[in-house]
C-alpha cells in the first residue's frame, strides 16, 4: 500500500516501568505480587472535579456514566501513599536519573525546574483519582530523523484484577513515557522506531523486563480520517499490524461515510419498545431481557455488518458505545436471522418499525434505564458515521484489531501536585549525566572483546540476565563459560521447571568460580544451580553435588576402571572411550571436567592396547 | 518588557525547542509556565516572552436549585474546605464557600436539606483562636435561633476537636451541630469531602441533639462515625479515618451512600435540651506536657496565667521538683488541672506519693478528660467563675460528656 498517498501519520507513546529500588513517591519496593498475597482491602468512590468553566473532562465524564465503587487490594509491600492516605514523598532521584540518561541518549534538553502534575484519571486505576506525572525533557531526535517530543516520568497505575477491583502493588512504580511527534509514515517505521526506543530504554539496565512492563500507545490517522490513539500494545511484533489494521478501519469508515451520504441515510432519536414481539423467541438474550428496544437506522442496511478489521464491523463500534451503559452488546439486522432470532421475527420487527430493505434495525435488550442509555449511545455513534472517523482512544484486541474505549482526553485535565516540591536540574547535574552504552554498541564490543560469535553477543546484550554476564566477566571469569551459563544453562533449567528467579547473580558467580578453580566440573553447573534454587547454599551444593576430586584421585579412578574392564577395552579398542566415560563420570558424579577425564581415559586405554 | 500576570499567554524556549503556554507564577527564581500540553515547567525568566493577555474567564454562575420542602441547615465555614474548584488553565485550586458552590461540589447534598451559608473565617485550623471559638459559638447560636434544623461547621481537621469541645461547652443545643472537614484535599477525585459532607448533612438533620464531629470511620468510603465533641481526637496525621472517640463509644454512624443513621443509646436526642449560649471564656490558660527531666523553671512561663492543664504521666504524675513549682503556681492563683498523656483512662493521684503531693498542693484531678478538652473546659469554667471551690467542682463535673462517670471496659 502507498501510505504516502493515503496520508498516514503516526506517532508513538512508549511507557516503560523502571526497575528502581523504591517507587516514585514512596519507600515501597517496586515488586508485583500474586493477588492472593494481599493482606488488606478497602473501597472508594471517585468523582470528577469540576474545572474552572464548570466542565468535567470529557474522558472523565465518560467514565462517570456509571457511578462505580472501586475495591483496592493492599499488600505488606504497599503503604498509605498507595492508599491515598498519606502525602507523597519527594520524587525518586534514582528514577529521575534514569530518565535523564534516556533524555541524554536522544539528545534532549532537560526542563530547568521540573514540576510534578496531577493528571485526572478516574477509571479507578489510581486511588487518588489522578496520576502524578512530570515533564523532564523535550526536543530529542531519532536515528531515522524523527522527533522525540518529550520524556515524562510518571507513576504506574494500579493493576486491574477484575471489573472494579484493583491491586495496589503496581501503583507507583516509576514509569518513563516517551512521546514521538507524529513523524512516522509507514507501519514498519512505527514498529522499527518502537524497537529502537525500547532498545535505548533497556540500555540503561534500569528497566523492568517481562510482559506488561513496556506498553506502546499508537497514534494513527490518515488523510480525511482522525487521530485515534490505540492503547496498550504489549507485543512489539504486532505494532506494524495494528497500524495496518487501523488504516484499514479508517478507510472502511470513510467509505461507509461516502455511501451513507450518497444514500441519504439518517439517524432519528427514539427507539421502539419491541419487548412483546420477542416474548416467544428462541433467543435467550432477548427472551430474558426486561425490555427490548429497537432503533431504525435509515439507509444503513449492509453497512453495519461490513467488516472494517478482522472480526470488527461498524456494528462492533455501535456495540462498544452501547456497552458503556452496561449492556453486553447489541443485535442488528445485518447479522440476523441468527443467535436464535428467526427470519419471521426479523420480518415482524421490520414491519413494526416500518423499516425498508435499505434500513438496518438495532436491538438492545436490558433493564429499561440501561437499554435507553444504550440506545442513546448507538444513536450517538451512528451519527458519527456521517463524519467518518471519530477521534477516539481505543484498546488493542488480540491479533491487532481494536475496540472503542473512550473519547480522546481533552487537554485541560492537569493541575499541580502541590504535595511534591519542584526539582531543579542544574547545569552541573545535567552535565554529569552520561548516556548509557547502547545495547547495539555493547553487542559489537562483546563480540570483539570476548571473542564471542555475533549471535551470542547479540543474545547476551539483550538478555535479562545481562548484569550477571557483566559481573561474571568483570571478576575475571571466562566469557565463554559465563555466556553459556546465561544463555543456555539457566534457560534449560527454567524449561525444566526450576525457578531460576531464586538464584541470585552472586550465587551463579560463586558456582562459576568453583568451576574455574576446578572444585567442580563444568558438567556439574546445572545440578549445582538446581540445588541452589532448591534452597541450598553454594557451599552445600558443592559439597552435595560435587565432592572435589583431585587430579590424583581422578587418575587413580580412571586407572582402576580401565583395569577392571581390560577385556572390554581390548575388544572395543578406542571405541571403549564413550562407554567408559559414562562409567567414570557416574562415579565422580560430575565433579571432574569431561575433557580431562577423556584425556586420562585415552591414555589409559592406549596403555592397555599398547 | 511587560510584567507578567498570571494567566498571560507566553512563549518559552527549552534548548532548541519553542513552546507556548500560560504564565502561572515565579518560583525559586524560575518562571512557572503551564504548557499547552498541560504540564507545568520552571523556565529561566530570560527565556520566557509575553505573547498576549487573556481576560480572566468569568466564574460559572450556575445557581443550584434548593428544594423548599426540605429542612434548612446552616453551613458555617471557618476554613478547612470541603469544596474547591480547579482552574485547569492556571492549575489554581480555589476554596468554595457559597451554598451554590458547595452544592455543586458535593452532589447529593441537595437531596438532604436546603442550605444557607456563612463564612466566618478562612483560616488554617492551626490559626484558630479562643476568640474565634466565641464568634463561632455566637454564629451557630444565631443560626439555630433563626430556625436552622441543624448546623454544619466546616473546619480544618488539625484543631477541629478543640473547636468542637469549645462549642459543646459554650452551647446548649436542641439540634445537631456537626463539625466536618476533609483529610484529603477537596480538589482530588478521591477526596473524602463528598462522603464526609453528605454524612455530616445527614447527621445534621438526624435525631441527634448535641455537638459532634462527623468524619470517615475506616479506610473505606462506606461509613462515617459520629463522635462526641468532648471525646474525639485526631489520632493520625493523614488517614481519612484519623478521628476517633477516645475512651468512650462513638455516638453512632452514618452509612454511605445510603445515608442510614444509627445513633447509640447514649447520644443526646434532638429537642432534649433548650437553646442557650454562654460564650464567656478566659483565654489566659495553658497546656503543658510533662517529660522526664523537665526543668521545673519551664513551668514558670505560666506564672500569672488563670489556668494550666498538665498532661502528666500515667495516672497523672510529674516529677517531685515539678510538683513544688505547680504548688507555687496554685498559690499564686493559677488553677492547675492534671490530665494524663495516656489519653485513655482516669487520672488518680491518690495511689502514689507524688500524686498525693500534687493533691496536697491544690492540683485538681482531671478525671477522664483528654488534655486539650480539659484546657478548653478550663477556659470556659474560668470565664464563668473564679471561686476556687466552684472551679474545682465544675472541672470534675460532667458538663458536656467529657467526664465519664464510669470508665467502660473494652474501650
Ligand atoms: Zn508505598
Amino acid at each position: 500500500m502507498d501510505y504516502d498517498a493515503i496520508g498516514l501519520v503516526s506517532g508513538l507513546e512508549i511507557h516503560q516501568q523502571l526497575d528502581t529500588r523504591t517507587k516514585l513517591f514512596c519507600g515501597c519496593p517496586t515488586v508485583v505480587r500474586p493477588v492472593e498475597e494481599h493482606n488488606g482491602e478497602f473501597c472508594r468512590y471517585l468523582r470528577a472535579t469540576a474545572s474552572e468553566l464548570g466542565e468535567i473532562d470529557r474522558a472523565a465524564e465518560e467514565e462517570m456514566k456509571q457511578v462505580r465503587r472501586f475495591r483496592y487490594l493492599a499488600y505488606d509491600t504497599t503503604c498509605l501513599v498507595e492508599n491515598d492516605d498519606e502525602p507523597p514523598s519527594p520524587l525518586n532521584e534514582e528514577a529521575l536519573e534514569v530518565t535523564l540518561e534516556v533524555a541524554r541518549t536522544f539528545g534532549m534538553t532537560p526542563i530547568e525546574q521540573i514540576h510534578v502534575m496531577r493528571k485526572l484519571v478516574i477509571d479507578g486505576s489510581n486511588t487518588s483519582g489522578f496520576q502524578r506525572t512530570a515533564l523532564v525533557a523535550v526536543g530529542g531526535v531519532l536515528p531515522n530523523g524523527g522527533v522525540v517530543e518529550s520524556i515524562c516520568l510518571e507513576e504506574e497505575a494500579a493493576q486491574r484484577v477484575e471489573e472494579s477491583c484493583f491491586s495496589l502493588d503496581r501503583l507507583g512504580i516509576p514509569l518513563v513515557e516517551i512521546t514521538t511527534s507524529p513523524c512516522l509514515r509507514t507501519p514498519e517505521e512505527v514498529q522499527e522506531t518502537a524497537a529502537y526506543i525500547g532498545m535505548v530504554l533497556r540500555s540503561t539496565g534500569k528497566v523492568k523486563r517481562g510482559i506488561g512492563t513496556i506498553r506502546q500507545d499508537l497514534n494513527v490517522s490518515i488523510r480525511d480520517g482522525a487521530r485515534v490513539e490505540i492503547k496498550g500494545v504489549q507485543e512489539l511484533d504486532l505494532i506494524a499490524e495494528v497500524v495496518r489494521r487501523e488504516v484499514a478501519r479508517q478507510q472502511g469508515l470513510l467509505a461507509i461515510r461516502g455511501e451513507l451520504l450518497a444514500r441519504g441515510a439518517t439517524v432519528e432519536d427514539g427507539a421502539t419498545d419491541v419487548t412483546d414481539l420477542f416474548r416467544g423467541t428462541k433467543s435467550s438474550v432477548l427472551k430474558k431481557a426486561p425490555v427490548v428496544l429497537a432503533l431504525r437506522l435509515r439507509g444503513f442496511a449492509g453497512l453495519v455488518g461490513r467488516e472494517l478489521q478482522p472480526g470488527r464491523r461498524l456494528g462492533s463500534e455501535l456495540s462498544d458505545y452501547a456497552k458503556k451503559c452496561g449492556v453486553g452488546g447489541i443485535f442488528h439486522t445485518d447479522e440476523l436471522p441468527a443467535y436464535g432470532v428467526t427470519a419471521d421475527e426479523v420480518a415482524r420487527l421490520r414491519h413494526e418499525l416500518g423499516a425498508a430493505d435499505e434500513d438496518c434495525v438495532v436491538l438492545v435488550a436490558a433493564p429499561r434505564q440501561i437499554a435507553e442509555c444504550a440506545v442513546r449511545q448507538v444513536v450517538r455513534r451512528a451519527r458519527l458515521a456521517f463524519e467518518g472517523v471519530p477521534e477516539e482512544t481505543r484498546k488493542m484486541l488480540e491479533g491487532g484489531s481494536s475496540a472503542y474505549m473512550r473519547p480522546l482526553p481533552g487537554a485541560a485535565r492537569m493541575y499541580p501536585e502541590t504535595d511534591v516540591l519542584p526539582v531543579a536540574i542544574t547545569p552541573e547535574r545535567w552535565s554529569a549525566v552520561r548516556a548509557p552504552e547502547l545495547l547495539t554498541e555493547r553487542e559489537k564490543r562483546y563480540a570483539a572483546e570476548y571473542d564471542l560469535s555475533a549471535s551470542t553477543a547479540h543474545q547476551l546484550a539483550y538478555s535479562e540476565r545481562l548484569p550477571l554476564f557483566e559481573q561474571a566477566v568483570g571478576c575475571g571469569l571466562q566469557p565463554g563459560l559465563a555466556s553459556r551459563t546465561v544463555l543456555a544453562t539457566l534457560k534449560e533449567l527454567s524449561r525444566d521447571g526450576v525457578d531460576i528467579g531464586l538464584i541470585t547473580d552472586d550465587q551463579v558467580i560463586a558456582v562459576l568460580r568453583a568451576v574455574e578453580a576446578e572444585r567442580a566440573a563444568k558438567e556439574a553447573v546445572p545440578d549445582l544451580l538446581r540445588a541452589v534454587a532448591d534452597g541450598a547454599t553454594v557451599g552445600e551444593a558443592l559439597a552435595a553435588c560435587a565432592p572435589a576430586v583431585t587430579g590424583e584421585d581422578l587418575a587413580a579412578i580412571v586407572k582402576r576402571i580401565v583395569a577392571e574392564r581390560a577385556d572390554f577395552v581390548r575388544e572395543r579398542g578406542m571405541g571403549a572411550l564413550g562407554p567408559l566415560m559414562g562409567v567414570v563420570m557416574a562415579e565422580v558424579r560430575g565433579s571432574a571436567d569431561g575433557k580431562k577425564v577423556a584425556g586420562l581415559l585415552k591414555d589409559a586405554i592406549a596403555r592397555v592396547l599398547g | 518588557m511587560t510584567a507578567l500576570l498570571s494567566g498571560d499567554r507566553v512563549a518559552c524556549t527549552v534548548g532548541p525547542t519553542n513552546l507556548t503556554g500560560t504564565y502561572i507564577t515565579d518560583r525559586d527564581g524560575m518562571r512557572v509556565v503551564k504548557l499547552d500540553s498541560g504540564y507545568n515547567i520552571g523556565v529561566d525568566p530570560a527565556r520566557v516572552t509575553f505573547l498576549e493577555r487573556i481576560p480572566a474567564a468569568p466564574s460559572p454562575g450556575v445557581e443550584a436549585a434548593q428544594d423548599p420542602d426540605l429542612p434548612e441547615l446552616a453551613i458555617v465555614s471557618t476554613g478547612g474546605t470541603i469544596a474547591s474548584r480547579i482552574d485547569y488553565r492556571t492549575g489554581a485550586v480555589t476554596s468554595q464557600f457559597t451554598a451554590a458552590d458547595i452544592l455543586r461540589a458535593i452532589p447529593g447534598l441537595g437531596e438532604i436539606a436546603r442550605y444557607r451559608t456563612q463564612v466566618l473565617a478562612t483560616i488554617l485550623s492551626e490559626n484558630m483562636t479562643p476568640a474565634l471559638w466565641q464568634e463561632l459559638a455566637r454564629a451557630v447560636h444565631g443560626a439555630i435561633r433563626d430556625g436552622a434544623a441543624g448546623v454544619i461547621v466546616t473546619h480544618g481537621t488539625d484543631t477541629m476537636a478543640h473547636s468542637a469541645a469549645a462549642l459543646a461547652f459554650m452551647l446548649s443545643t436542641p439540634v445537631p451541630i456537626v463539625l466536618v472537614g476533609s483529610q484529603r484535599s477537596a480538589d482530588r477525585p478521591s477526596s473524602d469531602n463528598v462522603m464526609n459532607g453528605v454524612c455530616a448533612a445527614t447527621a445534621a438533620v438526624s435525631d441527634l441533639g448535641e455537638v459532634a464531629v462527623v468524619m470517615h470511620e475506616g479506610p473505606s468510603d462506606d461509613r462515617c462515625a459520629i463522635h462526641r465533641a468532648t471525646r474525639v481526637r485526631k489520632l493520625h496525621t493523614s488517614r481519612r479515618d484519623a478521628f476517633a472517640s477516645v475512651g468512650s463509644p462513638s455516638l453512632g454512624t452514618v452509612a454511605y451512600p445510603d445515608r442510614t443513621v444509627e445513633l447509640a443509646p447514649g447520644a443526646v436526642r434532638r429537642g432534649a435540651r433548650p437553646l442557650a449560649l454562654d460564650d464567656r471564656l478566659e483565654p489566659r490558660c495553658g497546656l503543658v506536657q510533662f517529660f522526664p527531666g523537665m526543668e521545673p523553671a519551664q513551668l514558670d512561663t505560666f506564672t500569672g496565667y488563670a489556668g494550666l492543664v498538665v498532661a502528666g504521666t500515667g495516672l497523672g504524675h510529674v516529677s517531685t521538683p515539678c510538683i513544688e513549682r505547680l504548688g507555687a503556681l496554685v498559690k499564686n492563683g493559677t488553677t492547675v488541672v492534671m490530665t494524663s498523656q495516656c489519653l485513655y483512662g482516669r487520672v488518680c493521684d491518690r495511689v502514689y506519693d507524688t500524686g498525693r503531693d500534687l493533691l496536697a498542693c491544690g492540683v485538681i484531678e482531671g478525671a477522664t478528660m483528654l488534655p486539650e478538652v480539659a484546657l478548653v473546659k478550663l477556659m470556659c469554667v474560668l470565664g464563668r467563675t473564679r471561686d476556687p471551690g466552684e472551679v474545682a467542682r465544675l472541672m470534675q463535673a460532667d458538663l458536656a460528656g467529657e467526664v465519664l462517670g464510669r470508665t467502660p471496659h473494652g474501650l
Side-chain angles (χ1 to χ4, degrees):
Chain A
M1 185 174 302
D2 184 349
Y3 288 101
D4 232 16
I6 60 165
L8 170 64
V9 172
S10 183
L12 275 165
E13 213 176 88
I14 293 189
H15 300 89
Q16 167 75 61
Q17 289 178 6
L18 299 185
D19 191 21
T20 47
R21 201 175 58 75
T22 60
K23 288 184 175 177
L24 194 54
F25 293 109
C26 71
C28 292
T30 59
V31 293
V32 171
R33 305 285 300 275
V35 170
E36 57 279 8
E37 287 178 12
H38 74 273
N39 66 352
E41 61 174 81
F42 56 90
C43 294
R44 297 272 169 77
Y45 295 89
L46 292 179
R47 176 189 52 93
T49 39
S51 76
E52 171 71 352
L53 298 170
E55 294 165 0
I56 288 170
D57 174 68
R58 59 180 171 148
E61 197 181 358
E62 183 83 5
E63 291 296 333
M64 279 177 70
K65 280 214 163 71
Q66 303 169 64
V67 177
R68 279 153 72 194
R69 182 168 179 266
F70 300 107
R71 194 158 67 90
Y72 296 100
L73 307 180
Y75 299 80
D76 56 9
T77 48
T78 63
C79 72
L80 289 186
V81 173
E82 285 93 331
N83 289 17
D84 186 44
D85 253 340
E86 184 177 303
S89 308
L91 186 73
N92 181 328
E93 279 291 326
E94 186 187 8
L96 180 56
E97 197 60 33
V98 178
T99 311
L100 289 172
E101 284 174 18
V102 176
R104 172 69 84 194
T105 308
F106 290 120
M108 303 175 83
T109 309
I111 302 300
E112 289 159 282
Q113 189 185 46
I114 295 169
H115 289 249
V116 178
M117 305 298 290
R118 297 170 171 177
K119 190 198 280 181
L120 202 66
V121 180
I122 59 161
D123 63 0
S125 62
N126 287 69
T127 44
S128 56
F130 49 71
Q131 177 189 33
R132 297 186 182 94
T133 174
L135 177 61
V136 175
V138 296
V141 284
L142 291 163
N144 65 6
V147 173
V148 178
E149 266 177 10
S150 64
I151 180 164
C152 295
L153 180 55
E154 46 190 40
E155 55 183 0
E156 175 66 289
Q159 173 82 52
R160 194 187 291 270
V161 176
E162 52 192 51
E163 196 47 34
S164 57
C165 176
F166 292 87
S167 179
L168 294 180
D169 49 348
R170 205 182 71 179
L171 177 63
I173 291 178
L175 203 60
V176 158
E177 182 203 71
I178 294 171
T179 307
T180 74
S181 65
C183 54
L184 309 170
R185 306 289 164 160
T186 67
E188 293 70 29
E189 196 178 21
V190 180
Q191 183 161 320
E192 283 157 19
T193 304
Y196 179 78
I197 293 173
M199 183 276 293
V200 169
L201 285 163
R202 283 197 206 174
S203 299
T204 64
K206 279 286 188 166
V207 301
K208 296 267 187 208
R209 304 288 294 266
I211 196 87
T213 56
I214 184 163
R215 300 190 294 277
Q216 285 97 1
D217 296 348
L218 315 177
N219 281 300
V220 182
S221 70
I222 61 171
R223 188 171 305 116
D224 299 325
R227 189 162 85 85
V228 165
E229 182 178 284
I230 301 161
K231 289 194 97 69
V233 183
Q234 300 202 356
E235 297 109 297
L236 188 67
D237 298 343
L238 261 178
I239 288 179
E241 180 63 13
V242 173
V243 177
R244 282 191 284 268
R245 289 195 187 186
E246 179 55 24
V247 168
R249 195 184 71 92
Q250 297 202 8
Q251 287 180 313
L253 286 172
L254 290 173
I256 286 176
R257 170 180 181 269
E259 287 186 49
L260 288 174
L261 294 176
R263 290 181 188 183
T266 54
V267 177
E268 296 143 40
D269 284 308
T272 308
D273 189 330
V274 292
T275 317
D276 288 342
L277 207 148
F278 291 99
R279 284 271 182 249
T281 185
K282 292 219 163 48
S283 158
S284 58
V285 176
L286 295 179
K287 194 183 172 85
K288 71 178 186 221
V291 172
V292 182
L293 298 182
L295 178 74
R296 183 181 60 185
L297 300 174
R298 290 205 156 180
F300 273 68
L303 300 179
V304 177
R306 183 183 288 177
E307 193 167 75
L308 298 168
Q309 290 180 327
R312 299 280 310 176
R313 297 151 204 286
L314 179 58
S316 324
E317 305 287 323
L318 299 178
S319 173
D320 289 345
Y321 273 64
K323 281 176 185 168
K324 293 287 161 189
C325 301
V327 297
I330 59 166
F331 288 123
H332 56 81
T333 48
D334 279 4
E335 58 178 358
L336 298 177
Y339 311 115
V341 179
T342 63
D344 177 51
E345 282 167 336
V346 174
R348 280 193 290 141
L349 174 68
R350 284 188 171 280
H351 178 74
E352 179 96 13
L353 272 86
D357 285 350
E358 61 270 23
D359 300 342
C360 178
V361 178
V362 171
L363 289 175
V364 176
R368 179 166 297 277
Q369 231 184 334
I370 292 175
E372 283 172 354
C373 170
V375 165
R376 281 194 299 276
Q377 285 282 85
V378 170
V379 166
R380 210 178 117 208
R381 181 60 186 89
R383 287 200 174 126
L384 287 172
F386 293 91
E387 290 166 28
V389 186
E391 287 198 338
E392 286 171 343
T393 301
R394 301 175 66 83
K395 62 169 180 256
M396 197 197 92
L397 303 173
E398 214 168 310
S401 295
S402 66
Y404 169 76
M405 255 174 107
R406 52 175 185 254
L408 277 186
R413 53 171 200 158
M414 276 204 243
Y415 67 108
E417 169 54 273
T418 41
D419 298 341
V420 179
L421 294 176
V423 180
I425 304 299
T426 59
E428 297 75 49
R429 174 165 188 176
W430 177 237
S431 64
V433 173
R434 297 272 164 271
E437 180 188 26
L438 293 182
L439 296 183
T440 44
E441 295 160 12
R442 192 175 301 215
E443 180 183 333
K444 285 183 206 139
R445 178 166 64 81
Y446 283 171
E449 257 178 49
Y450 303 133
D451 195 23
L452 298 169
S453 74
S455 88
T456 302
H458 175 82
Q459 284 182 53
L460 274 175
Y462 286 80
S463 162
E464 265 184 69
R465 299 294 291 248
L466 172 65
L468 168 60
F469 175 77
E470 292 266 299
Q471 197 186 337
V473 295
C475 63
L477 289 166
Q478 280 177 35
L481 175 63
S483 74
R484 253 196 318 282
T485 308
V486 167
L487 297 179
T489 313
L490 285 172
K491 246 179 226 153
E492 282 155 17
L493 285 173
S494 176
R495 213 173 299 140
D496 290 349
V498 176
D499 186 355
I500 59 168
L502 298 171
I503 311 170
T504 66
D505 287 0
D506 287 342
Q507 287 171 320
V508 175
I509 284 172
V511 166
L512 297 187
R513 275 179 188 281
V515 169
E516 294 217 338
E518 296 193 0
R519 286 202 291 126
K522 279 199 288 288
E523 287 75 5
V525 171
D527 284 340
L528 289 167
L529 293 177
R530 191 187 295 268
V532 170
D534 283 343
T537 64
V538 173
E540 285 163 3
L542 284 169
C545 284
V549 177
T550 63
E552 280 166 40
D553 287 347
L554 186 62
I557 290 168
V558 168
K559 202 171 160 197
R560 171 171 53 76
I561 285 173
V562 171
E564 283 168 7
R565 293 166 180 76
D567 290 346
F568 176 71
V569 170
R570 274 188 285 272
E571 189 184 312
R572 302 282 288 269
M574 268 305 162
L577 181 63
L580 290 185
M581 268 299 283
V583 178
V584 177
M585 291 311 278
E587 182 149 341
V588 300
R589 284 194 285 160
S591 64
D593 183 83
K595 237 187 235 163
K596 206 184 237 176
V597 172
L600 288 169
L601 264 177
K602 256 189 219 158
D603 289 350
I605 291 170
R607 271 198 296 279
V608 170
L609 296 176
Chain B
M1 182 177 159
T2 319
L4 291 177
L5 292 182
S6 183
D8 284 351
R9 290 286 298 161
V10 291
C12 60
T13 56
V14 177
T17 310
N18 296 311
L19 298 162
T20 53
T22 304
Y23 169 71
I24 307 297
T25 186
D26 282 0
R27 182 159 186 174
D28 304 332
M30 296 282 171
R31 294 267 143 90
V32 179
V33 175
K34 186 178 177 66
L35 299 176
D36 295 336
S37 62
Y39 282 97
N40 282 16
I41 61 171
V43 191
D44 188 314
R47 285 191 278 277
V48 179
T49 52
F50 172 83
L51 290 180
E52 183 183 3
R53 183 141 298 160
I54 307 285
S59 275
V62 192
E63 212 34 64
Q66 302 226 39
D67 184 342
D69 294 334
L70 292 172
E72 187 179 61
L73 294 178
I75 300 178
V76 181
S77 52
T78 65
T81 61
I82 60 165
S84 58
R85 188 164 54 213
I86 305 163
D87 178 350
Y88 285 108
R89 191 171 55 101
T90 61
V93 178
T94 45
S95 303
Q96 302 295 305
F97 299 108
T98 71
D101 287 331
I102 292 173
L103 286 181
R104 204 185 39 236
I106 306 186
L109 275 189
E111 297 164 28
I112 302 168
R114 287 175 292 142
Y115 302 87
R116 59 188 144 99
T117 54
Q118 180 183 356
V119 181
L120 191 77
T122 49
I123 55 164
L124 296 169
S125 81
E126 53 271 35
N127 291 329
M128 186 53 77
T129 62
L132 271 170
W133 293 340
Q134 290 173 302
E135 276 186 51
L136 179 59
R138 288 174 206 134
V140 170
H141 179 260
I144 298 170
R145 194 191 49 215
D146 294 347
V151 180
I152 298 169
V153 177
T154 67
H155 203 292
T157 54
D158 279 13
T159 69
M160 181 189 287
H162 297 72
S163 295
L167 290 177
F169 290 121
M170 290 192 274
L171 282 163
S172 163
T173 178
V175 303
I177 299 170
V178 177
L179 287 90
V180 69
S182 58
Q183 280 283 83
R184 314 301 296 142
S185 58
D187 56 74
R188 61 181 66 210
S190 62
S191 174
D192 48 338
N193 69 329
V194 172
M195 181 173 113
N196 290 348
V198 165
C199 291
T202 306
V205 296
S206 76
D207 199 32
L208 187 71
E210 60 177 301
V211 186
V213 165
V214 172
M215 293 284 287
H216 254 75
E217 189 188 52
S220 287
D221 286 354
D222 54 6
R223 205 157 38 240
C224 275
I226 308 172
H227 301 285
R228 176 161 281 160
T230 53
R231 294 304 321 171
V232 67
R233 199 166 210 269
K234 187 179 184 182
L235 288 177
H236 198 278
T237 58
S238 60
R239 275 170 62 152
R240 287 165 168 73
D241 55 346
F243 285 84
S245 289
V246 174
S248 68
S250 67
L251 297 176
T253 55
V254 184
Y256 184 84
D258 66 27
R259 309 200 307 257
T260 314
V261 179
E262 283 189 37
L263 289 182
V268 179
R269 295 306 204 266
R270 181 181 285 273
R273 292 181 181 163
L275 177 65
L277 169 70
D278 186 341
D279 61 358
R280 288 174 293 172
L281 196 141
E282 171 51 67
R284 292 270 305 158
C285 290
L287 170 59
V288 67
Q289 169 142 324
F290 169 78
F291 55 91
M294 182 182 197
E295 284 182 40
Q298 291 181 31
L299 294 168
D300 293 348
T301 323
F302 299 100
T303 306
Y305 270 56
L308 175 66
V309 174
V310 180
T313 57
L315 285 165
H317 298 128
V318 296
S319 64
T320 308
C322 284
I323 296 175
E324 269 171 51
R325 210 57 72 105
L326 288 177
L329 283 172
V330 173
K331 218 170 263 168
N332 199 36
T334 303
T335 302
V336 178
V337 177
M338 181 59 67
T339 59
S340 172
Q341 45 196 262
C342 293
L343 307 179
Y344 284 85
R346 187 179 298 274
V347 167
C348 185
D349 281 317
R350 286 147 288 156
V351 179
Y352 297 102
D353 280 346
T354 45
R356 288 189 282 268
D357 292 345
L358 279 163
L359 293 179
C361 291
V363 171
I364 301 166
E365 289 174 300
T368 58
M369 284 187 287
L370 292 166
E372 64 278 9
V373 172
L375 171 72
V376 174
K377 182 178 176 185
L378 188 55
M379 289 182 182
C380 291
V381 166
L382 289 172
R384 293 168 200 178
T385 176
R386 285 302 174 90
D387 176 74
E390 185 62 3
V391 168
R393 187 187 70 77
L394 286 172
M395 284 311 292
Q396 294 188 315
D398 180 32
L399 303 184
E402 76 284 9
V403 170
L404 305 172
R406 41 186 285 279
T407 329
H409 67 80
L411 287 167

